[in-house]
Amino acid sequence: MWDLTRAELRRFRWWALAALLLHLGVLAFFTKLVDLLQQPRIVYQVGAACYGAIGLLLGAYQMAGYRRPNTWLQLLHRPLSTSHIMSALVIACGLLLALAIALPMVITLAGQLSLTARVVDSRHWWLPLAGWLIACGAYLAGAYTMLAPKRYSWMVLVAPLLLYFGDASGVSAISVQLLALLWLLALLAIAFKPDLTAEPSSSLAEAATAVPLQLAIYCVLALGAMAFQLGLVVVGKDPLNGKTSANTYLDAARTKSSDLLTAGLADSAHPEAELWREQAEISEVAMFSIDFEALPQRHELTNIAPMEFDDDERQIRWVFSHDRMRYQGVSLRERRREGELGVGAEGDAFPLPALALGAERLVTARTIYDYDTHTAQLHPRIVLPIDETLAMKPDTLGAAAVVLSDRALYVFDGRALARSNELIEPRLRFALPGRLRHMHSVSMMELLDGYLVSIIYGRGSVDGAFDSWQTIWQLRPDGEATEVARRALAHDYPMTYRHYSWWISPAMHWLSAQSQALFSATNPLEQRDRVDRPRAMVWLASCLMLISLVASIWMVRTRAVPTARRWPWVLVCGLVGAPALLALWLLRPERQLPERSSASAVRAAPAGRT
């Protein structure tokens, strides 16, 4: 086994060495220009895509050379078991990828820690492992694509995509990558057999292959919604790119704030509605939208945004450290350390990771801080309740400052926020009537005795199953809020399109959502309402599952399905629907009927006359 491993290492050693030098050179070049550890998430995602492409190409190239009949026979004709041969090839490529991907990252981190004043946290040392796991997972996917039957080998590429769209962060993201790697390794072990055209032999192997195959088919079927929208674009009837109907969500989203108030108050029975409509045409109506869909989490591997800001007066760049939970100073002139920056005069640690909104203001999930460049101190200015999460940076409406959390809208004294460094209390608190995740925008107009607040809900209704509406509230100086108008907003797309990802397979819709949320922490800013599916969509999904059930009964008799697995397949097709039926069609070939013997068709020749 180890001889085969060494042979594979010798085979690719020069390629691995060239990749190591090239990777190290690229990292050194960009490290000279910018601090790679403080880049936004998109930079990490591009890097992960490059590592995945390298692993995918390596796996495809290696197994494409071995899968030729004569070469495959020679490979397996060794005094080793098939599992040991596969392990030797996989271990060799794992070491090669560690040399080409993980080692340059470790060298770069060590150099940045020892030779520069930049911040290197413990979370950054997980990045080489994460990059290596992504490359190894893509390698296994490429190898499986070459060895498994071509009818369904492509489905394994869905696993790396699930990693790309997953919500887990930090060590949890490493756990998701490790779980995907183990599943891909099991799939490769199933496909690595003497007869590459043979189907999975055991029930467990077939189940391990069928589950990701069904999920991949579901993802392909879900692209039908994109094809439908593309068709609307071609004919010029797509609401997102063209004219929308009146009183729809997209129409409201494109309407300016004053016209929104006028439209929302049109059918209001409140005695002052007509006066407010006239006032909206001449007064200032401010519109606020959500600024944060997520905020930094401690020890996450990537950054939502660069966690640093510059003090131009002192010529110091402050970089947040997750280990110290304080900002580390770096001189912009001498490029050396310049102390730490914490909260208040004592420099206390931040309770949560802080995100800079410029050189004068920072935020955490529950606190807004102001930075005083004269004293080089951070002062907490606004603190939300412990069960709320900040969703919007402070904005102004006249002399007031408005702040939005996931549960409430706050009104503060704008002059006090701008002039002092003290902690300020809100003048008014308005509890939101719906989930922040579904909110599009908030419009506010100042009245003689309070404010008029208009909220548009419907985010996620364009290509989702949520309703949309506009609600208008009168917020009085004593904090009392009264709803004065409410209007339902029509949907821009038909019902079948909005529920499409669910009714094609409710089971796979649930599984894909669970896969994306695997090991992820709860994000209060992304909490959604429970979806009530219309009865018509429930009947449509039920009919599709029934059709799949009936079709599977016929299919298991015409495909090469072992007798003991026929009824489990029928049950799965009835529960999952079309993805399971298509997986059965791809996974199991047609049954080959035995040919008749030609000897039985020979007839005796008739006797001739004399």
Side-chain angles (χ1 to χ4, degrees):
M1 172 180 169
W2 298 113
D3 291 338
L4 182 57
T5 300
R6 286 192 290 270
E8 285 295 296
L9 291 175
R10 288 193 297 270
R11 178 188 175 191
F12 292 105
R13 65 184 184 277
W14 297 117
W15 288 102
L17 182 60
L20 182 150
L21 295 177
L22 178 62
H23 188 197
L24 191 59
V26 170
L27 291 179
F29 173 75
F30 283 107
T31 301
K32 185 70 175 177
L33 298 179
V34 296
D35 187 354
L36 285 177
L37 300 181
Q38 298 301 324
Q39 298 308 300
R41 183 166 296 168
I42 183 63
V43 176
Y44 291 90
Q45 291 173 339
V46 170
C50 293
Y51 299 149
I54 292 173
L56 188 69
L57 292 175
L58 176 61
Y61 177 79
Q62 181 193 43
M63 294 305 173
Y66 280 124
R67 77 178 306 274
R68 292 192 293 267
N70 292 337
T71 309
W72 187 251
L73 181 63
Q74 182 182 6
L75 176 67
L76 297 186
H77 193 67
R78 298 169 183 265
L80 290 173
S81 64
T82 304
S83 60
H84 282 80
I85 295 174
M86 187 201 77
S87 299
L89 300 179
V90 170
I91 290 173
C93 287
L95 293 175
L96 292 169
L97 290 173
L99 181 68
I101 292 177
L103 183 58
M105 298 175 71
V106 172
I107 294 174
T108 303
L109 285 172
Q112 184 156 317
L113 178 64
S114 59
L115 302 178
T116 71
R118 293 172 175 174
V119 173
V120 179
D121 284 334
S122 58
R123 67 186 180 113
H124 296 135
W125 293 100
W126 290 100
L127 291 174
L129 177 60
W132 180 74
L133 289 175
I134 291 173
C136 288
Y139 159 78
L140 295 174
Y144 183 86
T145 303
M146 290 293 104
L147 298 182
K150 300 304 178 187
R151 298 188 310 275
Y152 57 84
S153 60
W154 55 270
M155 62 85 182
V156 78
L157 299 177
V158 173
L161 293 178
L162 291 178
L163 294 179
Y164 188 85
F165 292 107
D167 295 331
S169 65
V171 179
S172 298
I174 300 290
S175 302
V176 174
Q177 294 171 3
L178 185 60
L179 183 61
L181 183 71
L182 294 176
W183 196 301
L184 290 167
L185 186 61
L187 290 177
L188 183 60
I190 294 170
F192 202 96
K193 53 186 180 295
D195 185 4
L196 294 177
T197 61
E199 307 305 324
S201 56
S202 65
S203 300
L204 183 60
E206 187 165 353
T209 306
V211 171
L213 177 57
Q214 294 174 59
L215 188 57
I217 293 172
Y218 168 78
C219 293
V220 173
L221 291 177
L223 295 178
M226 186 182 300
F228 172 78
Q229 189 171 358
L230 182 60
L232 292 179
V233 172
V234 171
V235 300
K237 294 185 177 180
D238 183 22
L240 282 173
N241 300 309
K243 185 178 180 180
T244 60
S245 303
N247 295 324
T248 64
Y249 168 71
L250 289 178
D251 177 63
R254 296 169 181 174
T255 305
K256 65 179 184 179
S257 54
S258 58
D259 293 339
L260 269 180
L261 276 178
T262 303
L265 293 169
D267 298 327
S268 175
H270 196 278
E272 297 186 54
E274 187 62 30
L275 176 62
W276 291 336
R277 292 183 64 189
E278 295 177 359
Q279 184 177 347
E281 296 178 358
I282 59 175
S283 300
E284 176 189 3
V285 181
M287 178 177 287
F288 311 112
S289 57
I290 298 170
D291 292 320
F292 311 116
E293 294 187 356
L295 287 166
Q297 300 180 30
R298 191 174 186 187
H299 297 310
E300 61 185 358
L301 298 184
T302 59
N303 307 309
I304 296 175
M307 302 188 69
E308 60 185 15
F309 69 96
D310 292 346
D311 185 341
D312 294 331
E313 183 175 331
R314 293 175 175 268
Q315 289 294 296
I316 296 177
R317 173 167 295 163
W318 296 105
V319 183
F320 189 80
S321 169
H322 283 241
D323 290 345
R324 297 284 298 164
M325 292 301 286
R326 294 177 176 86
Y327 279 89
Q328 305 291 314
V330 179
S331 172
L332 294 175
R333 294 193 185 97
E334 292 84 9
R335 301 294 179 183
R336 57 183 177 82
R337 289 288 177 91
E338 288 287 348
E340 291 185 340
L341 176 64
V343 179
E346 302 297 327
D348 298 329
F350 286 83
L352 295 168
L355 181 66
L357 303 179
E360 298 179 353
R361 183 154 291 163
L362 300 90
V363 299
T364 66
R366 289 189 290 272
T367 308
I368 298 174
Y369 301 89
D370 279 353
Y371 175 68
D372 188 350
T373 185
H374 301 292
T375 61
Q377 293 181 3
L378 283 167
H379 304 281
R381 305 302 316 283
I382 296 175
V383 178
L384 299 179
I386 195 170
D387 58 343
E388 295 186 21
T389 302
L390 186 70
M392 186 188 82
K393 57 188 177 182
D395 210 334
T396 59
L397 173 61
V402 179
V403 173
L404 185 66
S405 77
D406 63 317
R407 296 191 176 188
L409 183 144
Y410 293 89
V411 178
F412 294 87
D413 185 351
R415 290 183 291 265
L417 181 63
R419 295 176 182 174
S420 69
N421 288 326
E422 303 297 327
L423 187 67
I424 61 175
E425 297 294 330
R427 286 181 172 179
L428 297 173
R429 180 185 186 274
F430 170 62
L432 297 178
R435 294 272 192 184
L436 181 81
R437 176 62 180 80
H438 306 303
M439 178 190 294
H440 173 266
S441 62
V442 178
S443 300
M444 289 185 66
M445 181 178 70
E446 190 172 5
L447 304 176
L448 293 176
D449 55 347
Y451 297 91
L452 205 61
V453 182
S454 171
I455 306 177
I456 299 294
Y457 285 99
R459 198 156 55 110
S461 64
V462 172
D463 55 353
F466 303 101
D467 293 329
S468 53
W469 72 94
Q470 178 186 9
T471 178
I472 300 179
W473 294 70
Q474 181 186 13
L475 183 59
R476 296 184 177 86
D478 58 1
E480 183 181 354
T482 306
E483 187 176 32
V484 298
R486 186 183 183 95
R487 65 164 176 152
L489 298 174
H491 291 286
D492 298 274
Y493 290 92
M495 181 189 302
T496 51
Y497 171 80
R498 292 183 287 106
H499 295 267
Y500 175 75
S501 63
W502 180 81
W503 59 257
I504 57 175
S505 179
M508 285 295 107
H509 180 272
W510 175 85
L511 182 60
S512 63
Q514 296 302 313
S515 301
Q516 184 177 354
L518 187 64
F519 299 147
S520 62
T522 301
N523 182 7
L525 303 179
E526 288 292 316
Q527 294 298 300
R528 303 170 182 243
D529 287 330
R530 181 181 177 274
V531 178
D532 293 325
R533 304 291 175 182
R535 183 172 299 179
M537 295 297 98
V538 175
W539 277 107
L540 179 57
S542 301
C543 290
L544 288 179
M545 290 188 288
L546 181 60
I547 292 173
S548 299
L549 176 68
V550 174
S552 66
I553 296 175
W554 168 79
M555 190 175 290
V556 295
R557 298 176 62 87
T558 60
R559 316 294 286 189
V561 182
T563 305
R565 303 180 201 172
R566 290 183 178 180
W567 285 111
W569 264 114
V570 171
L571 179 61
V572 170
C573 289
L575 293 175
V576 176
L581 186 67
L582 293 174
L584 174 60
W585 179 69
L586 291 173
L587 196 59
R588 285 294 174 180
E590 291 187 9
R591 186 185 301 275
Q592 299 294 328
L593 298 177
E595 297 182 358
R596 288 186 176 183
S597 175
S598 59
S600 61
V602 176
R603 296 182 178 179
R609 294 183 178 180
T610 58

